[in-house]
Amino acid sequence: MKLLSCFAVLSALLLCQCQPVPLPQLPGQSEPVVYMPDEMCYLDEVAPLVKVDLKYCGSDNFVGRPIAGYTTGHRAILRKDTALALKRASEALAEEGLGLLVWDAYRPARAMKDFYAWSETADDKTKAEFYPNITKREIYEHRYIGKISEHSWGVAVDLTLFDLKTGKELDMGGRHDLLDESSATRSPLITAQQRANRLKLRDAMAAAGLRNYSKEWWHYFLIDKGVCYRYDFPLNDHMSKRNNQQ
């Protein structure tokens, strides 16, 4: 009985939704600052070659507005081991004159709830651009989005390639967040060059320890994830580590 009890406690701890400890709220802040969990980091501090344009901070995304949890920060956050994997990939690609551009990294759990709430509304203003051939319900049925995500564990990224000399993104045969059959990494609906560009990204990421989600050429997750926790702290560009406050 004790063994079963201990196992139940351990399982509950592993499945818990971890919340960082809040710092005191400062004057003028709409939301309290939080400590960043020790296992997380700002991507720019680990992989400075990687460019970042977090699409859910603005309106250039399938919902068409800023997403819950993204309104107080613009710096990408990842678990340290995932950030180190991106560092390896970016350094290898730089030797070929290519760079990585990240569109999303750590994603608060509240953002997933925001996506689902949006999916139950009649708002279809982004349909033509982001999900032209399916309904909002089919976004979930076809597994482009789920109610939970590896992004909320800090071990997944959405990204593309760009030319280091020109700054131009490589032609991948479709934009980010295009929830469509043509977004499959090996889709037959794109040109040979577009597919080659997708596979170039896939191979570079695989060499660094990240695996592609085959339905979305831009989505990658850490292969050796280990124990994962789902986080829900909002993005903030000036979070401190708790150990630094002691």
Side-chain angles (χ1 to χ4, degrees):
M1 183 63 71
K2 285 186 177 180
L3 180 60
L4 290 174
S5 177
C6 290
F7 180 77
V9 171
L10 179 59
S11 298
L13 287 173
L14 293 180
L15 293 173
C16 71
Q17 180 170 318
C18 297
Q19 297 279 357
V21 179
L23 290 169
Q25 187 167 351
L26 300 177
Q29 290 181 333
S30 59
E31 191 163 358
V33 178
V34 295
Y35 295 120
M36 184 186 294
D38 287 340
E39 63 271 22
M40 306 287 271
C41 67
Y42 288 117
L43 177 59
D44 55 42
E45 294 179 342
V46 174
L49 295 180
V50 178
K51 287 177 59 177
V52 172
D53 178 16
L54 297 183
K55 295 298 186 179
Y56 298 138
C57 289
S59 299
D60 185 20
N61 57 64
F62 70 95
V63 177
R65 58 166 171 75
I67 305 302
Y70 286 84
T71 57
T72 58
H74 293 80
R75 295 173 72 187
I77 296 170
L78 282 171
R79 207 170 73 180
K80 290 177 183 176
D81 50 1
T82 309
L84 287 169
L86 283 189
K87 179 177 187 292
R88 293 191 296 271
S90 66
E91 290 174 347
L93 285 164
E95 296 179 2
E96 302 181 51
L98 297 173
L100 290 173
L101 171 63
V102 168
W103 290 319
D104 194 33
Y106 159 69
R107 181 186 302 165
R110 68 188 69 185
M112 304 306 296
K113 295 178 182 178
D114 196 7
F115 290 161
Y116 192 75
W118 165 83
S119 75
E120 294 189 308
T121 70
D123 179 6
D124 258 341
K125 67 177 181 292
T126 62
K127 178 175 174 58
E129 190 171 6
F130 288 97
Y131 53 105
N133 299 311
I134 58 175
T135 66
K136 292 172 78 171
R137 181 179 296 276
E138 287 174 326
I139 290 175
Y140 283 85
E141 292 176 354
H142 294 184
R143 299 180 64 185
Y144 290 113
I145 309 171
K147 290 186 178 181
I148 60 174
S149 171
E150 295 154 329
H151 282 282
S152 299
W153 304 342
V155 298
V157 290
D158 295 340
L159 76 177
T160 191
L161 293 170
F162 71 94
D163 186 297
L164 287 176
K165 286 186 178 179
T166 66
K168 292 183 61 176
E169 296 174 22
L170 269 61
D171 181 3
M172 295 293 192
R175 61 169 304 149
H176 78 283
D177 272 6
L178 176 58
L179 310 178
D180 189 74
E181 288 185 2
S182 63
S183 291
T185 306
R186 301 185 68 93
S187 172
L189 303 174
I190 57 176
T191 69
Q193 184 58 59
Q194 291 165 343
R195 190 177 304 108
N197 290 342
R198 292 183 183 187
L199 296 181
K200 165 70 75 174
L201 175 61
R202 185 200 63 180
D203 292 346
M205 298 297 280
L210 294 134
R211 181 175 296 159
N212 174 237
Y213 177 50
S214 62
K215 283 179 172 283
E216 299 174 347
W217 62 262
W218 59 82
H219 180 89
Y220 287 83
F221 58 90
L222 192 68
I223 295 173
D224 186 12
K225 294 189 286 291
V227 176
C228 293
Y229 298 97
R230 185 176 62 164
Y231 300 99
D232 193 31
F233 61 92
L235 272 69
N236 186 298
D237 290 344
H238 305 288
M239 281 186 284
S240 299
K241 293 297 179 66
R242 186 175 184 184
N243 289 343
N244 294 337
Q245 299 294 320
Q246 295 176 339

